[in-house]
Amino acid sequence: MSRRRPRRILDHCLDDHPAVLAWRAIEPHGVVPERIEVFCDSPNWLLYALPGVGPAGSTVFAKRRLRSTAAAERAVYERILPLLPVATPRCYGCREDGEFVWFLLQAVEGVPYDESNPEHLAMAGRWVAAMHTVTTSLVHSTALPEAGPERYLAHIVSGRQTLRRCLSTSQALDPAGRRIIEQIVTRLDHVEACWHSIRARCQDAPTTLVHGDFRPKNVFVRHNGTGLVAFDWETAGWGPPAPDLTKIDAAAYWRAVRESWGAVSFDTVVEWVSLGQLFQTIAAIDWKGTELAVDTTEALATPLVSLKLIGARLTTLSEFL
């Protein structure tokens, strides 16, 4: 579930640790781990590894999220993933804890997904295709957020508002940084003005389960090379395939989906890829814009560099509108 090294290790008095209590609520006879690996411990986002407590001595990940933001992910783990003919991490169970919910998840063993590796890209194309084609029959069987054009239009509105706030209130923004932000705002205005075209291009696409953040940090390739596993379904929803197609082999995806979606041409899949790249770029602007909140020259430097690159990508992608 995580390629990062743990931030620290806990090895004393673990019986009453919240992650252990959450696991033993699911597995009452489960063992207490000899150590807990701490990956994240912010107030609203906890992630721990419990080595040795799972089946055959495997590792279990205990992840705690706010219930208000965990509903979609919980529904995917509990009600949709068990129905799919693709490898997915097993969810041993969920435990509610006041305003939070714990996910107890199978550790995913494998190597990092490498988007420069053609075999990995082709494998991902087939995996995403299988997920998409199967879940078209499950649409709206489970309540999930909308994951199509309206989601990304909301990112435009939110991201632009954040950028404009920085322009109007920042005392640390230099002229070069101001130009970067102004250019992105102008380009967002242009994209929004063309949103009717975006909606039209998505209208005829199948509605399916969308992971929403299918990229290397959320994917492992199994050690034996038999497939990959995607995890972290926080942004999952019902929508067109486009958002999931930016880090895969489009040709492999098309060859796999055309058995179920015979009317979908390769050119259509290529168009979906472009739409997905546009969607993800818009979302990245919104997310990166939140880092402009600390108004110092030092704090603004890194997000401005990223925004400059993202803005250039937005300019290129918006040319096909």
Side-chain angles (χ1 to χ4, degrees):
M1 290 247 338
S2 179
R3 297 191 184 97
R4 298 170 297 168
R5 294 181 180 274
R7 298 176 61 179
R8 63 179 185 277
I9 304 293
L10 308 179
D11 55 10
H12 292 90
C13 303
L14 303 183
D15 299 64
D16 295 325
H17 188 279
V20 174
L21 294 177
W23 169 243
R24 299 191 76 175
I26 302 299
E27 292 289 339
H29 302 295
V31 300
V32 175
E34 295 182 358
R35 70 183 190 278
I36 294 176
E37 299 173 356
V38 182
F39 287 91
C40 185
D41 57 356
S42 63
N44 295 330
W45 169 239
L46 300 178
L47 180 62
Y48 303 105
L50 311 180
V53 304
S58 61
T59 296
V60 171
F61 275 91
K63 179 170 71 169
R64 193 189 76 166
R65 298 291 310 279
L66 281 167
R67 290 175 63 184
S68 59
T69 59
E73 184 175 20
R74 182 173 185 177
V76 169
Y77 275 122
E78 292 184 339
R79 302 182 61 183
I80 299 179
L81 294 188
L83 303 177
L84 302 189
V86 294
T88 59
R90 177 182 174 187
C91 180
Y92 297 111
C94 298
R95 177 177 180 263
E96 296 184 1
D97 182 14
E99 62 179 325
F100 299 97
V101 59
W102 286 93
F103 293 84
L104 287 309
L105 302 168
Q106 175 189 20
V108 178
E109 299 294 337
V111 298
Y113 177 67
D114 180 1
E115 60 182 296
S116 68
N117 184 324
E119 292 184 3
H120 287 194
L121 289 170
M123 194 181 301
R126 293 189 292 270
W127 190 96
V128 174
M131 177 186 73
H132 284 175
T133 54
V134 169
T135 54
T136 52
S137 64
L138 303 176
V139 172
H140 307 314
S141 63
T142 300
L144 294 177
E146 192 273 345
E150 304 317 305
R151 168 182 286 189
Y152 296 96
L153 180 59
H155 277 303
I156 287 180
V157 174
S158 174
R160 184 175 53 204
Q161 182 180 43
T162 299
L163 296 180
R164 285 176 172 167
R165 184 183 306 116
C166 181
L167 288 172
S168 63
T169 64
S170 176
Q171 301 298 313
L173 193 63
D174 63 19
R178 184 171 295 274
R179 283 193 298 272
I180 291 170
I181 294 177
E182 289 173 342
Q183 289 169 359
I184 294 176
V185 169
T186 298
R187 185 53 57 178
L188 289 174
D189 288 341
H190 168 72
V191 173
E192 183 180 21
C194 300
W195 208 250
H196 61 285
S197 172
I198 300 294
R199 289 194 182 99
R201 296 180 193 204
C202 292
Q203 188 171 2
D204 294 332
T207 299
T208 184
L209 175 67
V210 176
H211 182 283
D213 197 19
F214 190 91
R215 51 181 172 150
K217 75 181 186 71
N218 292 329
V219 182
F220 278 119
V221 176
R222 291 180 179 274
H223 285 303
N224 58 12
T226 59
L228 56 81
V229 180
F231 47 92
D232 283 354
W233 294 80
E234 293 95 335
T235 57
W238 298 119
D244 286 347
L245 306 185
T246 63
K247 304 293 183 182
I248 68 168
D249 183 320
Y253 177 85
W254 175 66
R255 286 192 294 269
V257 301
R258 64 181 175 177
E259 297 180 9
S260 300
W261 301 341
V264 173
S265 68
F266 180 64
D267 287 343
T268 297
V269 170
V270 171
E271 184 173 82
W272 290 349
V273 171
S274 295
L275 281 174
Q277 291 170 340
L278 178 64
F279 288 160
Q280 298 295 6
T281 300
I282 290 167
I285 290 171
D286 189 10
W287 296 328
K288 186 59 64 173
T290 61
E291 298 180 18
L292 300 174
V294 180
D295 191 31
T296 67
T297 301
E298 295 76 12
L300 293 178
T302 298
L304 283 172
V305 169
S306 296
L307 283 168
K308 183 177 181 179
L309 296 173
I310 298 170
R313 188 162 70 243
L314 178 65
T315 298
T316 300
L317 291 169
S318 62
E319 291 175 354
F320 82 99
L321 296 177

